[in-house]
Amino acid sequence: MSDVPDRVGVIGGGRMGAGIAQAFLTAGARVEVVEAGDEAAEAAHGRVSAGLEEAARRGKLTGDVADVLARLSLVDAPAQLSAGTGLVVEAVPERADLKVAVLTAAEAVLGPDAVLATNTSSLSVTELAAALQRPARFLGMHFFNPVPASKLVEVVVAAETGEDVVEATRGWVRALGKTDVVVRDSPGFASSRLGVLLGLEAIRMLEEGVADAEAIDAAMELGYRHPMGPLRSTDLVGLDVRLAIAEYLASTLGERFTPPQLLRDKVAAGELGRKTGRGFHAYDAD
């Protein structure tokens, strides 16, 4: 098993970014999280701290929470990442222009041997790589929510990704205690393409009155042994995120990914899933 890099950067301190930071901290790395503004940085620190506290309560953390948190720092911009950082994972919203902006800014300050990764769940990794000076040092690392508990990382290989980068990344994934699945860059990769299609059909079934949300999810959980039904999974991912992915896949793969009107309506109404307290199910808001 390979060790993780000594220094890791994570661009974006939302739920996904905080989870990625927590995973690398737990594995022993020093982690810099990029989050602009004092309020956003404080919120990101709070998410990581809360995640580590929960891991400690569950017996999943080696060492004291305070000692692990001492290896976490916050910076305002990608340009402030330490030059000796070995890996940077971008975890900003699913907008290609935003991802390109932060990735190019990070690449400009990092050493030539550093690896850049995107946590995109659907965008073309090859197209993002086209904006970089060192595309051979770039690939996708698609983590799953919640990151600390999820066992899978999809390693997405772009057209120019170096084989040494792929092998190093696979080792890092295993050092995190997770399993790597290597896929060729293609819209939606393997996981999003299949997961979104199942989720969209479940939404259509709900829209058509085939069954209620509880019944649809129970059918897949009990009948097919899915750990979480497709509607509850959509709530976890975020209805807005799933809508954006579906629109992208519809534009690249065809009409079968066209979002149902019910999904559009819920997003318009602000019912985004667990993060807002209501999606296809009701929750205590975070």
Side-chain angles (χ1 to χ4, degrees), residues 78-84 104-111 134:
Q80 296 177 4
L81 288 166
S82 299
T104 53
E107 184 184 49
V109 299
L110 298 177
R134 299 188 291 273

Side-chain angles (χ1 to χ4, degrees), residues 6 8 16 30 89-91 106 115 119 125 160 186 216 235 267 283:
D6 291 335
V8 174
M16 288 300 297
R30 293 186 176 274
V89 183
E90 165 274 307
V115 173
N119 183 52
V125 178
E160 296 186 51
S186 177
I216 292 169
D235 284 348
V267 171
Y283 308 87

Side-chain angles (χ1 to χ4, degrees), residues 203-216:
I203 297 168
R204 292 189 190 99
M205 290 169 62
L206 183 63
E207 193 173 52
E208 294 166 6
V210 174
D212 63 21
E214 290 287 353
I216 292 169

Side-chain angles (χ1 to χ4, degrees), residues 98-121:
L98 178 58
K99 291 180 182 292
V100 165
V102 299
L103 287 166
T104 53
E107 184 184 49
V109 299
L110 298 177
D113 294 330
V115 173
L116 280 175
T118 175
N119 183 52
T120 182
S121 55

Side-chain angles (χ1 to χ4, degrees), residues 181-251:
V181 172
V182 178
V183 299
R184 180 177 61 84
D185 184 30
S186 177
F189 319 132
S191 59
S192 291
R193 187 165 171 173
L194 289 170
V196 168
L197 195 60
L198 178 62
L200 294 178
E201 188 60 26
I203 297 168
R204 292 189 190 99
M205 290 169 62
L206 183 63
E207 193 173 52
E208 294 166 6
V210 174
D212 63 21
E214 290 287 353
I216 292 169
D217 280 346
M220 299 309 295
E221 292 166 5
L222 302 178
Y224 286 83
R225 298 186 180 181
H226 289 197
M228 184 181 298
L231 297 174
R232 203 172 294 279
S233 175
T234 299
D235 284 348
L236 179 62
V237 170
L239 276 68
D240 53 336
V241 175
R242 182 137 287 181
L243 175 59
I245 295 170
E247 288 177 330
Y248 174 75
L249 294 180
S251 71

